Amino acid sequence: MLPSRNEIAARIREEIINSTVIPCVNISLSAEPCSLFDSKVGGLPFLPKGAKPPVDSKGKLLYHLAQINCGDIAGLPDFPHAGMLQFFIRDDDLYGCPFTVPSPQKDWKVIYYPEIDRTVEPSAIAALYANQPKAELSPIDHECKMNFVPLQEGLTTGDYRYEQLFLKRWKETFPEEIADSFFDLGTDLYDAIFDEANEVTKLCSKMSGYPYFTQFDPRSEETEQYDTLLFQLDTDMRKGIDVMWGDAGVGNFFINREHLKRLDFSDVLYNWDCG
């Protein structure tokens, strides 16, 4: 018996996944107590002595979204293995995101400190943020600790590169079909190769690997330089966690791999979306 179209689609999906596997780290959040030097979301960020907290385009303090103690991801190729990598956003209804490509760091910022001075006192950092109002619109409700699990991951269906890879293989099997997008393959097959497969990547915070979106990838062939998922923070409404991007969305930060190797975080694409 010849394989059905759905079976062929599943086979192609597996071929794509297996041929694009790269290392990543999955991030789970917990309500464990955090120090100033831990990988975490929310709370006070680490700042070296004498460093000033990052501010937005109006000179107001940005809010601490997350920080990664890079010693926690020492096995991840091309990522920093020491120092502190931090993400800051504005407390507004867009979380400081300009939704443009490129994405200027005016109302959000990525900051990297190559060394962590553990003599810094939390009270000194708290004094710098003493007059910052409590966030009203931030996706982060309170401080939560990050825990990391090394994994291997193949290309996700939400990645803009997936569709063309799939269609190329599909046309090799069915050369008589005209299919320029998944929608051209019909609703049943679309569900089989896209929605169903995308379920696997939901509720996933991570570094490296491939992204998940509730809507669509902001990248395209014209912006292919943002080829690496630097950090993804997903909505997580478990008891004691409370991370929520809009209406159960996800936040993504992308970087060029060569910039990452140079530890140059000046050109990062920031995006978030929700259903």
Side-chain angles (χ1 to χ4, degrees), residues 36-39 46 67-70 82-86 111-116:
L36 188 64
F37 312 106
D38 284 331
S39 298
F46 163 79
Q67 69 178 25
I68 290 93
N69 182 324
C70 298
M84 192 75 82
L85 181 62
Q86 299 175 324
I111 295 176
Y112 174 66
Y113 296 113
E115 297 180 356
I116 299 175

Side-chain angles (χ1 to χ4, degrees), residues 4-95:
S4 68
R5 288 166 63 86
N6 280 18
E7 289 172 335
I8 292 171
R11 185 197 71 205
I12 293 173
R13 188 174 70 215
E14 288 301 311
E15 289 174 354
I16 292 173
I17 290 172
N18 293 335
S19 65
T20 56
V21 168
I22 59 174
C24 66
V25 289
N26 224 21
I27 300 172
S28 63
L29 302 180
S30 74
E32 298 173 67
C34 303
S35 78
L36 188 64
F37 312 106
D38 284 331
S39 298
K40 60 185 179 180
V41 298
L44 288 174
F46 163 79
L47 290 174
K49 292 175 181 176
K52 295 182 178 180
V55 297
D56 66 15
S57 56
K58 296 183 179 179
K60 294 183 178 180
L61 291 175
L62 289 169
Y63 285 79
H64 180 226
L65 176 70
Q67 69 178 25
I68 290 93
N69 182 324
C70 298
D72 292 336
I73 56 169
L76 197 57
D78 300 328
F79 280 67
H81 296 159
M84 192 75 82
L85 181 62
Q86 299 175 324
F87 301 82
F88 294 86
I89 60 173
R90 198 183 209 176
D91 182 37
D92 62 19
D93 57 353
L94 298 180
Y95 308 137

